[in-house]
Amino acid sequence: MTAPSAPPAIAHAAHPYVAQVERSGPAAITGFVYDPADPSAHPVVELTIDGLPVALARAEIYRPDLERAGIGDGRYGFSFVLAPEAVSGGGLVQVGLANLAIALAPPIPLDRPAVTRGSPGGEAGSVEWRGGLHVSGWLAPGRDPARLRARVWIDGELIVEARPDRWHPRGRGGEPPAPAFVLHLPDRFATGLTRQVIVTDGAGTPLSGSPLTLVAFPDPLEELAARAYGPDAGTTAARARLFDTLLPRTLPFDQLRPWLRRYPPAAPALRAGRSAVAIVGDGPADVARTRDSLGDRPDPSWPVAVLPSPDRIGFDPADLLAFLDGAAAGSDSLLIVPAGIILEPGAPGRLAGVLEADPDARLVYGDLAVGPPDRSTILAFPSFDYERWLEQGYGALVFALRPPCAAEAARAGADSLYRLANAQFDDLPRARAAVVHLPGVAGILPDLDLPAATRALAAATLRHLEARAMPGEVQPGRGAILPAVRVTRRPAEAEVSVIIPTRDRAACLARCLASIRPALDRARAELVVVGTGSSDPAMAALLDGVRAAGGRVLAEPGPFTQARLINRAVKSARGALVCLLDDDVEARGDGWLPELLSRLGEPTTVAAGAVLRWPSGLVRSGGIVLGPQVAASPAMTDRMADDAGYADLLRVASEPSAVTAACLLVRRTAYRAAGGLDERHFPIHFGAVDLCLRLGARGGRVILTPHLDLVHHGVCDDDRGLSAGARARRARELTALRARWGATLLADPAYNPLLALSEPPYTALACPPRAQDPRRRSLGAPAAMPSGL
């Protein structure tokens, strides 16, 4: 009764069904059952252990092997995951048709090892507990579609499942990435009790790392300790705070509405201020929607004006001036938004309150949500990011500013939301004190006309550059949610030295040199290769070629530590700009160096780094976020390089707090003033993070650009692949990073406090959010390093 290409199955004379049952993993019982005479039937099967009913399931899981064999639609599979105590207790498992007393296969003894097809854990994927109710992992690529689903089981009950929606690197980064997932368990499991969780693929095969043991609390453990011990919490509260930091609770982005109800922002602290509101747009329905959301503004007498606009972005400056000189005269702040935005309760008062309380602030902006009101997700922004503002205008869609500032910009011709906003930092040195970010969702953004918004942003950015007498070009980009443009400044006119630390990896270095040579020749850049010396004939021949082509080779005997070698090379370099480059980086095209040089065409920028990708196309580093695990974590590593990234971050340049030194162009004067790489405390790891933070603490800007194509070869970063000595060294350097930058690691100005400190970042909401106070872009000074580190 079984089709020729179908999997092995049993056809019973006593009933019409064809079935297969197997133990596909230590706790997984899977199989299929179908009636050849009635392909539309999907019977219910029952699992018993020693004759006692345990679970029911309908046979409706898709089995591509059955469909390929021509058996209906292939949806005849079932899967059970047994609780750990059931497996450890032994016994006989039987699967039969529910209520019919028909066994589908012989009993399966649980006291014998599982007989599986291959290695289920290694083949199926891997999973980790990330803290709270958050688990994440990856599934083996190339498997049947039915298996590409992650399922979480507790006590034999299916709790939650999801399809992969991101990626995970494998091997040396050249292999196709694995489909990855993030799952959040329901709140009912946040009881403070340990839970054993089994995670399987769609066919019921447990993933490597499963079963997991997790514990989650209904509130932050520090709050529970404070309630339990009061003022005597002391060290208990400190330990609880550490637990919350290392294993944070999170919520998925699609739970934004429940999250906002649970963690509402503080009420505005307005005293006697009066604000005005300008709505840009003339669609009656859009205007009405925004007016309705203003209903709870602190003072119903606030004047409201509608500035006619076909695209909800541009307006006639004369209309704005008429409003400011008329109904809005005497107002302390002006809130200006596109028509159609639904403002969050209290948001207008919170924004106006910042201007009232902070006399140095000229403009304050908030965060946004996008999507249907009941299913919206968050666009959580950084503190003032000048580069990103030029290329995305991210803060110009819900902001408040002082009316005299608005009037000054309008009189100068500001005719769009984007130009009205970026006119406030035509005087850039003053902008870091004048522009304030207020964390918290200010409103739900309507769908934008992206082509029109992109044209308006490009025009506003170009006019801003002209106002600053900054030569440059602005080209339209490809935003997915927000508009995007690309700014190209006149490159810095200075000699460049490209520094490559290397050891006995001749093939890597040869590939790197061949790929960067066209850009070096165009820029007439100096090439400096630095190492500890080599006895490899292939390396010796390669270095001879470097010398013959006009480059320099430095030999620094001693252990290979990148910080030491780079510092020696920078000291001897001729260039006013130095580009640090790993020997396993490969340039695709010759535009990478001009792009970095263009970023340093802005005088306030002291360093520029690159978004790097694996050979597979997966992002290897999209900037570095401070905070996860009280350390530093590369961002966007679950995204392909051609993806837009969270809030379109992979489409525009930005200003993270740190970038990797695998490709870093830096002003030599700034590098030396900051002390260079700290070869004592960070000889191998975290040196670039420490350097970027010291550059930032001195007022310099470090930029990340995605507008180039650099492949970073090498093995996937994983502590489990390090030797015991290397792990100990990394641990020592992490301790030093925490000692010097502990406060900054917990309050990254480039990362939003509403976002979880998860790995990778930008994947979940923080529960609870961190401080939501108004903030400027600033980095604190490094702490003195304790003796003995």
Side-chain angles (χ1 to χ4, degrees), residues 387 391 473 475 485-492 519 522-523 577 579 589-602 605 607-611 651-654 663 665 703-710:
E387 207 77 2
E391 294 205 345
E473 297 178 357
Q475 299 171 318
V485 301
R486 178 178 177 179
V487 174
T488 304
R489 299 176 180 85
R490 179 182 296 169
R522 283 178 55 191
L577 304 176
C579 180
D590 61 358
W592 64 277
L593 187 53
E595 168 61 17
L596 294 174
L597 290 170
S598 166
R599 296 297 157 182
L600 266 68
E602 165 56 53
T605 299
V611 173
R651 298 281 172 85
V652 295
S654 59
C663 179
L665 182 68
I703 302 304
L704 175 77
T705 175
H707 304 307
L708 37 64
D709 189 4
L710 293 177

Side-chain angles (χ1 to χ4, degrees), residues 108-420:
I108 298 173
L110 292 175
D111 57 357
R112 298 178 187 173
V115 179
T116 63
R117 297 185 295 265
S119 172
E123 288 186 0
S126 180
V127 66
E128 292 182 88
W129 175 46
R130 294 295 191 177
L133 299 170
H134 176 192
V135 298
S136 65
W138 54 271
L139 300 170
R143 298 171 71 88
D144 290 334
R147 290 182 177 271
L148 289 180
R149 184 183 292 270
R151 291 177 164 168
V152 174
W153 308 77
I154 296 179
D155 297 333
E157 177 189 358
L158 177 62
I159 303 301
V160 65
E161 63 180 322
R163 293 189 181 277
D165 62 353
R166 59 202 68 213
W167 300 97
H168 179 82
R170 296 193 306 143
R172 293 183 174 271
E175 303 173 43
F181 61 88
V182 170
L183 288 169
H184 290 79
L185 277 62
D187 280 348
R188 71 177 187 271
F189 293 105
T191 61
L193 302 175
T194 57
R195 293 275 187 173
Q196 197 159 46
V197 175
I198 295 173
V199 185
T200 73
D201 67 7
T205 306
L207 307 186
S208 176
S210 176
L212 301 169
T213 299
L214 63 79
V215 59
F217 298 88
D219 295 300
L221 196 56
E222 185 179 7
E223 291 183 12
L224 296 176
R227 289 203 294 266
Y229 298 99
D232 299 323
T235 57
T236 300
R239 289 194 297 269
R241 187 182 311 116
L242 180 62
F243 179 93
D244 291 336
T245 302
L246 296 177
L247 295 168
R249 281 203 65 196
T250 64
L251 267 183
F253 287 138
D254 61 9
Q255 294 296 302
L256 177 61
R257 286 294 120 188
W259 181 88
L260 285 172
R261 288 192 292 270
R262 182 167 184 178
Y263 304 112
L270 281 173
R271 293 185 292 275
R274 178 174 180 265
S275 187
V277 182
I279 302 172
V280 179
D282 47 19
D286 287 338
V287 171
R289 189 176 300 115
T290 301
R291 278 188 178 275
D292 289 346
S293 69
L294 284 166
D296 73 335
R297 58 190 185 275
D299 184 349
S301 69
W302 282 10
V304 179
V306 177
L307 308 183
S309 170
D311 57 13
R312 299 183 293 196
I313 299 293
F315 54 82
D316 187 336
D319 291 336
L320 177 58
L321 285 169
F323 177 52
L324 292 173
D325 293 337
S331 296
D332 299 293
S333 62
L334 170 70
L335 174 66
I336 185 163
V337 296
I341 193 170
I342 302 174
L343 294 165
E344 290 290 328
R350 293 184 71 228
L351 293 168
V354 173
L355 293 177
E356 183 182 68
D358 186 344
D360 294 327
R362 292 168 62 94
L363 182 151
V364 56
Y365 64 95
D367 302 314
L368 290 168
V370 292
D374 59 337
R375 300 190 307 277
S376 56
T377 188
I378 191 171
L379 298 180
F381 298 131
S383 63
F384 179 52
D385 184 332
Y386 175 62
E387 207 77 2
R388 184 175 172 185
W389 201 303
L390 293 189
E391 294 205 345
Q392 190 182 62
Y394 70 93
L397 296 172
V398 56
F399 67 98
L401 73 166
R402 299 192 184 280
C405 300
E408 180 183 3
R411 283 193 292 269
D415 58 359
S416 71
L417 291 171
Y418 296 120
R419 181 57 187 141
L420 186 65

Side-chain angles (χ1 to χ4, degrees), residues 80-93:
F80 297 98
V81 176
L82 305 178
E85 57 269 22
V87 177
S88 62
L92 293 176
V93 169

Side-chain angles (χ1 to χ4, degrees), residues 419-443:
R419 181 57 187 141
L420 186 65
N422 72 24
Q424 307 312 311
F425 33 93
D426 284 353
D427 180 2
L428 187 57
R430 188 172 59 174
R432 288 211 167 192
V435 180
V436 177
H437 172 231
L438 180 63
V441 177

